[in-house]
Amino acid sequence: MYTTDNLVPMPLHLAPLEGRPFILGASTRIVASGEAKPAAEQLAALLGRGTGFDLPLETEFRPGDIALELSKARDDGPEAYSLTVTDAGVRLRASTPAGLFNGIQTLRQLFPPSIERPSTAAAASTADAGTWAVPAVDITDAPRFPYRGIMLDVARSFFTVEEVKEQIDVMAQFKLNALHLHLTDDQAWRIEIHQPEDNPSGIDYARLTAVGGAVDHPGVGLSPGHTGYYTQQDYRDIQSYAAARNITVVPEVDLPGHVNAALAAIAQLNPDGETKPMNTTGEVGYSTLTADLPASYEFVTEVLTQVAAITDGPYIHIGGDEAHVTGHDNYVSMVREFARIGAATGKTVVGWNEYADVELPEGSVVQYWWGDFGPVAGKAEQNGSKVIMSPAANTYLDQKYGPESPIGLSWVEGGPFTWAEYYDWNPVQGGLEDRHILGVEGPLWTETVRGNQQAYWLMFPRAVSLAEVGWSPQEARSLGDFRRRLGAFGERLANQGVAFQAAPDVDWAAKPLDPFTEPNSNPEYGTIEA
């Protein structure tokens, strides 16, 4: 009944202890003080939701309590933690709130999967006192890589603020700590830009969202989804919600290609002074800013400056991919200047690996997704650039699992694209070394997606694979053992109401919600045609 064998991602060190399990009951208290109190409140809410117990916060430990402790003397890393469970209580220790949050996710998984089902106080009062048992164990843990992310394409299929928060809640339990929001593309513009006082070209920035936010990309065989955009306050709200769950938001404004929505809204960005029509297809690679237009640089400066100003995290992503109609010299000159503008905001600039061909500010981050590793490895060695690994065949969450998948894309050669391919690889490749890797990220492009449940079906279980790739040591990972743990974790996702693809080679502990025949989390979405 009590097991320590199903944790995902696998901890760095786990040692079962002799003795009886810890039993959570109605008299259990959460003990914390100072900066540990927010994490304690989260833990109390999490456990209370599943058990119905009202777990009070206290400052003095007594037997039977759960204690959260911050110790600045620890030197095992900002996300590291230790967790000791005995029948006398639980002690979770870390040097930062981030470490405490990670430890809470591990403790959460040590409880039975039914902890994930919302309960009521009445049900809890009649429950068997042994239901909420945690085995005696000692765990010390820290991540392999500091960056472990998901990219959500909110340009092609818009996700509301509440839907993004739902995504954050689901990803956080796997210790994923970065949410990359793809805010702009050929199909839409989803972030508000205020009208500046200094505006030499007379650009009407409100048109970016009036035009680019008023569309919904029709997708492939899909019913309409949301139109909309994020106000700057919406963005701050998402960011604050994410930060409380140890997740950094990384905004992307894709440049100098993937800009048709901007060209459709802003006449001054077009050499002929005429706005372009909006894109209602999935076509990309045909749009570009113009290198010899002063308005291009004025526009990019204003947009990146405003986005950076509302971003608390250290990164700003400037895209740089698939600029197929941008001449090489123009690409180099524009991206070099856009990267300089981004760095001038005080942020670390991130871009897709095509931009590694350009002279970049020292320490810029390269996100590898496709093609030649040479420029990427060169930037890592010579420019101090860190690399986010997102090789399409191992990380792209939008790819169909196989030909029978009712949604998803199929442009990546090879396959199948299952949990196994997303688990059984090493981010250290292509001439890179561990010291060059910032982390891993799974991008979800949303041309074929409507709503969170359909998004979840493409994401899970593959994003769980990526979470362990980013967290656990390469030499400690085992495909067979992960398959077993993944099957057990399916019950938790099912209890949470999160759809996932029931891979036939996994022994799943529970049947998943089917997002194609059962209602989505947002009922205004229709079903798709397979």
Side-chain angles (χ1 to χ4, degrees):
M1 179 178 179
Y2 316 125
T3 180
T4 60
D5 294 339
N6 292 331
L7 296 177
V8 179
M10 180 176 55
L12 189 62
H13 169 80
L14 183 152
L17 300 177
E18 296 290 336
R20 294 175 300 177
F22 168 79
I23 305 297
L24 178 74
S27 62
T28 301
R29 310 177 315 162
I30 311 292
V31 178
S33 61
E35 294 181 31
K37 289 183 70 174
E41 291 168 353
Q42 288 178 321
L43 177 60
L46 176 67
L47 299 181
R49 183 188 65 197
T51 65
F53 296 148
D54 183 10
L55 303 173
L57 267 59
E58 302 291 347
T59 57
E60 297 293 332
F61 182 85
R62 71 184 187 193
D65 287 345
I66 301 174
L68 277 59
E69 304 170 12
L70 281 175
S71 172
K72 303 298 184 183
R74 297 174 64 100
D75 60 356
D76 44 2
E79 289 194 278
Y81 66 92
S82 64
L83 177 65
T84 302
V85 180
T86 70
D87 62 346
V90 177
R91 289 192 179 272
L92 171 58
R93 300 177 175 93
S95 63
T96 68
L100 290 179
F101 185 86
N102 289 330
I104 287 172
Q105 306 318 306
T106 298
L107 178 60
R108 172 183 185 175
Q109 291 186 34
L110 290 171
F111 282 97
S114 52
I115 198 79
E116 302 296 341
R117 284 199 301 262
S119 183
T120 65
S125 66
T126 60
D128 175 9
T131 298
W132 309 115
V134 176
V137 68
D138 185 68
I139 295 172
T140 56
D141 202 9
R144 180 185 183 189
F145 298 118
Y147 184 106
R148 305 168 307 280
I150 294 292
M151 189 214 78
L152 188 61
D153 172 14
V154 298
R156 295 187 179 89
S157 184
F158 185 64
F159 290 73
T160 67
V161 172
E162 290 307 311
E163 286 176 322
V164 176
K165 288 179 178 180
E166 289 174 9
Q167 288 276 351
I168 289 167
D169 283 333
V170 176
M171 67 182 283
Q173 67 187 309
F174 305 111
K175 303 182 179 73
L176 294 165
N177 68 349
L179 177 61
H180 170 179
L181 292 178
H182 185 75
L183 295 167
T184 70
D185 213 296
D186 287 315
Q187 288 75 22
W189 186 283
R190 305 295 191 185
I191 184 68
E192 176 187 38
I193 302 298
H194 292 154
Q195 195 71 7
E197 292 184 6
D198 185 18
N199 188 6
S201 297
I203 294 172
D204 183 359
Y205 288 90
R207 284 182 53 81
L208 288 168
T209 48
V211 175
V215 297
D216 173 70
H217 180 58
V220 180
L222 297 177
S223 61
H226 292 300
T227 61
Y229 62 92
Y230 306 119
T231 67
Q232 293 195 7
Q233 185 54 48
D234 289 337
Y235 178 85
R236 290 188 179 97
D237 185 22
I238 290 170
Q239 185 173 236
S240 176
Y241 193 86
R245 290 150 182 81
N246 192 38
I247 292 174
T248 297
V249 173
V250 180
E252 180 186 356
V253 177
D254 208 344
L255 306 163
H258 288 271
V259 292
N260 185 74
L263 302 181
I266 308 299
Q268 292 91 329
L269 298 179
N270 299 283
D272 62 2
E274 300 290 333
T275 56
K276 297 289 188 288
M278 282 297 294
N279 181 342
T280 58
T281 74
E283 183 181 358
V284 296
Y286 64 90
S287 65
T288 184
L289 293 176
T290 302
D292 59 3
L293 271 183
S296 297
Y297 305 95
E298 179 187 334
F299 171 78
V300 170
T301 298
E302 190 60 44
V303 169
L304 294 186
T305 298
Q306 288 197 33
V307 172
I310 59 173
T311 298
D312 296 331
Y315 305 112
I316 189 165
H317 202 304
I318 64 168
D321 61 317
E322 296 181 318
H324 300 320
V325 299
T326 310
H328 175 73
D329 290 346
N330 288 338
Y331 178 89
V332 169
S333 64
M334 280 195 287
V335 172
R336 182 174 57 225
E337 180 61 13
F338 297 163
R340 185 200 65 76
I341 292 167
T345 68
K347 303 298 183 183
T348 296
V349 176
V350 187
W352 300 102
N353 59 268
E354 290 95 322
Y355 101 145
D357 285 327
V358 175
E359 180 184 349
L360 298 173
E362 185 175 354
S364 299
V365 173
V366 179
Q367 185 166 7
Y368 176 82
W369 70 283
W370 189 257
D372 185 11
F373 266 109
V376 178
K379 278 291 185 292
E381 190 61 41
Q382 300 163 18
N383 195 50
S385 292
K386 295 289 187 179
V387 181
I388 297 171
M389 289 297 290
S390 299
N394 301 110
T395 69
Y396 267 40
L397 300 169
D398 53 278
Q399 290 299 293
K400 289 188 173 187
Y401 291 96
E404 73 288 349
S405 293
I407 58 173
L409 303 175
S410 56
W411 63 268
V412 180
E413 295 180 1
F417 301 98
T418 73
W419 68 270
E421 286 74 30
Y422 287 50
Y423 184 84
D424 195 19
W425 67 289
N426 189 347
V428 179
Q429 56 181 276
L432 299 170
E433 301 175 11
D434 264 272
R435 62 189 175 90
H436 298 137
I437 307 295
L438 181 63
V440 298
E441 181 180 289
L444 178 68
W445 304 100
T446 58
E447 288 94 331
T448 69
V449 174
R450 286 295 178 268
N452 268 347
Q453 292 297 351
Q454 292 180 12
Y456 293 151
W457 188 85
L458 284 172
M459 295 169 72
F460 302 112
R462 294 183 292 195
V464 188
S465 297
L466 295 179
E468 183 148 308
V469 168
W471 184 276
S472 303
Q474 183 73 21
E475 64 277 7
R477 295 196 288 112
S478 161
L479 192 68
D481 181 63
F482 181 74
R483 177 190 283 112
R484 179 190 59 76
R485 290 182 284 121
L486 186 62
F489 201 93
E491 185 174 359
R492 294 182 184 273
L493 290 175
N495 287 346
Q496 294 167 17
V498 173
F500 60 92
Q501 189 254 4
D505 58 344
V506 175
D507 184 13
W508 296 102
K511 179 184 177 181
L513 179 151
D514 184 344
F516 310 120
T517 60
E518 300 179 44
N520 285 331
S521 60
N522 190 327
E524 73 183 66
Y525 292 111
T527 57
I528 69 161
E529 299 175 4

